[in-house]
Amino acid sequence: PGRRKYMSDRTEIDVIDDDAAMRDSLAFLLDVNGFEPRVHESANAFLNGLPTHVLKCVISDIRMPGMNGIELVRKLKSEGAGCPVILITGHGDVALAVEAMKAGAVDFIEKPFDDAALLGAIRVALQSPPATQVDSTARKEAEARLAELSPRERDVLQGLVAGKINKVIAHELSISPRTVEVYRANLMAKTGARSMSELMRLALAAGL
């Protein structure tokens, strides 16, 4: 049957990853869930094809040869592209992911990720207003969700936003890494955040 060119109801999702197996598995996942994947082996290859199509949503690995995911987010933002960008990060890349969210990425998913988590992030990203429309209500809502935190929990959250690992936060606050883990669990429970990326998004929206 060939490519389904005429199914305009399928939202196009651009996938950028230097790992061919990862590109193929993401393309398959998107295809069977009703999206139209377009795959690219590098950020530059993706950018070279930009003039030919409208961007709806971009999924990119954060670590790639050449231009990385954070540089790509900055480049798209500087060119006024309002499409959401979701980054895929390796375990331990939370500091990079937070930097990417500060640069304008809407979300990050940690490998190995659950298919449902990625699909959920895409659906939320597609429904969200463009990043340029950051309004004061989002800030107020984020501040309200962080209002219940104790000063120490807030200290731990600031450490996480700065991209510090548990051990470093523990050392700076003179507590044990295990206690930092307890505080992290409290942060998730008190704010209602279901993932680390949601917690980071709240903290950044509240201006932490």
Side-chain angles (χ1 to χ4, degrees):
R3 303 281 293 159
R4 282 165 288 191
K5 287 178 183 163
Y6 310 107
M7 295 184 67
S8 58
D9 57 329
R10 286 167 67 91
T11 302
E12 293 173 330
I13 309 277
D14 287 276
V15 174
I16 310 161
D17 201 309
D18 60 310
D19 179 343
M22 190 67 172
R23 282 199 305 275
D24 289 347
S25 78
L26 283 169
F28 177 76
L29 175 67
L30 293 169
D31 187 44
V32 299
N33 282 281
F35 297 104
E36 185 68 47
R38 285 189 298 231
V39 295
H40 316 270
E41 62 190 16
S42 71
N44 287 325
F46 161 70
L47 291 169
N48 290 340
L50 268 193
T52 60
H53 62 257
V54 177
L55 293 178
K56 301 283 179 60
C57 180
V58 176
I59 300 170
S60 173
D61 197 17
I62 205 165
R63 288 183 187 270
M64 299 181 287
M67 181 183 285
N68 67 28
I70 297 175
E71 292 162 342
L72 175 65
V73 170
R74 291 197 178 114
K75 173 82 173 159
L76 287 172
K77 198 169 184 185
S78 72
E79 295 190 356
C83 71
V85 181
I86 297 167
L87 291 177
I88 297 171
T89 73
H91 182 65
D93 275 350
V94 171
L96 276 181
V98 171
E99 190 184 335
M101 289 177 82
K102 286 176 181 169
V106 297
D107 210 341
F108 66 90
I109 305 285
E110 282 186 90
K111 288 187 236 180
F113 55 81
D114 177 58
D115 289 352
L118 179 62
L119 293 167
I122 292 168
R123 293 191 174 109
V124 168
L126 289 171
Q127 289 163 5
S128 302
T132 47
Q133 299 174 8
V134 177
D135 57 14
S136 57
T137 54
R139 183 176 181 124
K140 285 192 183 112
E141 188 194 325
E143 285 172 347
R145 286 174 70 178
L146 298 179
E148 297 295 307
L149 301 184
S150 70
R152 189 36 65 93
E153 286 163 353
R154 208 169 267 267
D155 288 343
V156 169
L157 181 55
Q158 279 178 320
L160 293 172
V161 171
K164 294 169 184 170
I165 59 173
N166 286 6
K167 209 188 308 187
V168 173
I169 297 171
H171 177 71
E172 290 181 351
L173 298 179
S174 302
I175 55 181
S176 74
R178 178 79 192 96
T179 306
V180 173
E181 280 177 30
V182 172
Y183 280 128
R184 279 178 69 150
N186 288 354
L187 288 170
M188 305 291 272
K190 284 189 176 180
T191 60
R194 289 174 303 250
S195 65
M196 194 64 184
S197 60
E198 190 179 344
L199 183 63
M200 294 298 103
R201 216 170 23 244
L202 279 173
L204 294 177
L208 261 192

